[in-house]
Amino acid sequence: MTAAEGTSFKETADDGYALGGLTWRHSSPDPQRPVVIINAATSVRCRHYSRFAAYLFSHGCDVMTYDYRGIGESRSESIKGLRASWTDWGALDFEAILKRAQREFPGQPIDVVAHSFGGCAAGLAGSGKVIRRLVTVGAQFAYWRDYAPEQRWRMFGKWHVIMPLMTLLCGYFPGKRLGWLEDTPTAVVRDWSTPTARFEDRPSGRVLMKKAGALPFDGVRAQTLAISLSDDPYGTIPAIERLLGYFSNAAKTHLRIAPQDIGERQVGHFGFFRSAYQATLWPIALTWLQTGALAADTPGRQVPRS
């Protein structure tokens, strides 16, 4: 294993689906060493986060990345007809990785770094109470009225009109062919494109509510840092706060960073995990994972909590 690659693994979810991922693991166990799980954005392969995972590994963490069912390391030959909703990605897939972390790293604290929808997935697992610290980046669940005003209608057309229409025609969303992320299962597209302000009103959210009577977010009691970038058209302040509101039992801090705060012109929704920001943005997440607090010289501003 090289630090940049990790070691491949397979894990079976409770419904029998085989998930694939990567582990960066130190040779000797240490009960003080955190194991960090990285939750990907919708239809972004876990390998996108490998350099960031290697960075955490080099600073003393064990790290696990994985792909949700239907994506990357967790994709079968065809995803037509695949059962895979946003709720499945959290309640089944992330739950399986949480259980693996507890089994493979017994006694070690479990932390999570979550990008975009990955922050929502962090609240959907039944074992969320084991998460010690949580860092989210641009985390929200795509409510169209929260999109940045200057891009809202273009994004609505792309993600809430074209994407579901292409999915209806193909039986899945052919995102890779279009250069729009990875191919995406139908039920995930349905969750993403449904224009409702509450997750429990999304199709798979309604199913979960009917089955369980409540969403599991309340079980997460982690020290939570929500990082948002001012030029992220998905991760506006209302979008970030909308998701944070579900984590009612977590201690929450929302850090808003402008690209100019770190001497950049733009960062956007996907930029945080690029190695260009290893010296400016990655230490913010690392410090939170290590201490549960922000350093005195952290760039940006804290958004007041209502």
Side-chain angles (χ1 to χ4, degrees):
M1 179 192 80
T2 67
E5 294 176 353
T7 300
S8 297
F9 71 81
K10 288 291 184 181
E11 180 67 24
T12 303
D14 283 348
D15 66 342
Y17 193 94
L19 303 167
L22 301 166
T23 300
W24 287 255
R25 183 173 191 157
H26 289 81
S27 57
S28 59
D30 182 346
Q32 303 303 313
R33 181 189 301 126
V35 51
V36 182
I37 300 170
I38 300 178
N39 281 0
T42 296
S43 300
V44 176
R45 298 185 66 154
C46 70
R47 291 185 182 273
H48 174 72
Y49 306 93
S50 289
R51 289 185 177 86
F52 180 72
Y55 167 83
L56 296 179
F57 176 76
S58 72
H59 284 81
C61 302
D62 293 316
V63 187
M64 301 172 66
T65 68
Y66 69 102
D67 281 312
Y68 308 120
R69 61 188 61 201
I71 307 298
E73 309 297 313
S74 302
R75 176 172 178 168
S76 58
E77 291 185 3
S78 174
I79 59 172
K80 286 186 178 180
L82 173 67
R83 175 195 169 185
S85 66
W86 266 351
T87 296
D88 293 327
W89 281 0
L92 291 173
D93 299 352
F94 176 53
E95 173 71 7
I97 302 304
L98 272 178
K99 289 179 178 177
R100 181 181 180 87
Q102 293 174 80
R103 184 178 71 248
E104 294 292 316
F105 302 90
Q108 293 181 219
I110 297 175
D111 298 336
V112 176
V113 175
H115 182 204
S116 195
F117 166 76
C120 192
L124 291 171
S127 298
K129 63 183 179 181
V130 304
I131 303 171
R132 179 188 65 162
R133 291 176 185 142
L134 170 64
V135 176
T136 69
V137 179
Q140 34 67 49
F141 54 89
Y143 176 48
W144 70 276
R145 289 186 182 275
D146 290 339
Y147 295 157
E150 66 275 10
Q151 299 187 49
R152 182 175 299 151
W153 291 110
R154 180 187 64 81
M155 293 172 67
F156 184 89
K158 182 176 181 178
W159 300 118
H160 300 269
V161 178
I162 295 175
M163 182 170 65
L165 284 176
M166 289 294 296
T167 302
L168 184 64
L169 289 171
C170 299
Y172 68 99
F173 178 60
K176 196 167 185 179
R177 195 184 318 164
L178 297 172
W180 298 7
L181 309 177
E182 294 292 309
D183 296 343
T184 305
T186 296
V188 170
V189 172
R190 194 176 299 123
D191 279 332
W192 184 339
S193 60
T194 299
T196 59
R198 302 292 297 172
F199 187 83
E200 56 267 38
D201 294 327
R202 301 294 170 101
S204 71
R206 291 197 298 269
V207 172
L208 184 59
M209 286 293 291
K210 185 175 181 180
K211 179 180 179 180
L215 299 178
F217 289 86
D218 287 352
V220 177
R221 291 172 168 79
Q223 294 173 294
T224 299
L225 172 65
I227 299 172
S228 65
L229 283 301
S230 66
D231 67 331
D232 177 358
Y234 301 92
T236 61
I237 290 176
I240 303 301
E241 290 295 315
R242 187 178 303 280
L243 179 58
L244 280 179
Y246 282 89
F247 291 92
S248 59
N249 289 321
K252 296 166 284 192
T253 298
H254 180 178
L255 179 67
R256 186 77 169 168
I257 302 172
Q260 295 77 14
D261 294 334
I262 57 169
E264 300 287 345
R265 295 180 60 187
Q266 61 182 27
V267 177
H269 188 61
F270 296 99
F272 184 97
F273 295 97
R274 294 174 181 151
S275 55
Y277 302 110
Q278 178 171 335
T280 53
L281 294 177
W282 292 5
I284 301 171
L286 176 64
T287 298
W288 189 270
L289 296 174
Q290 291 173 330
T291 68
L294 294 171
D297 59 350
T298 300
R301 65 180 179 88
Q302 292 189 39
V303 176
R305 307 286 312 145
S306 57

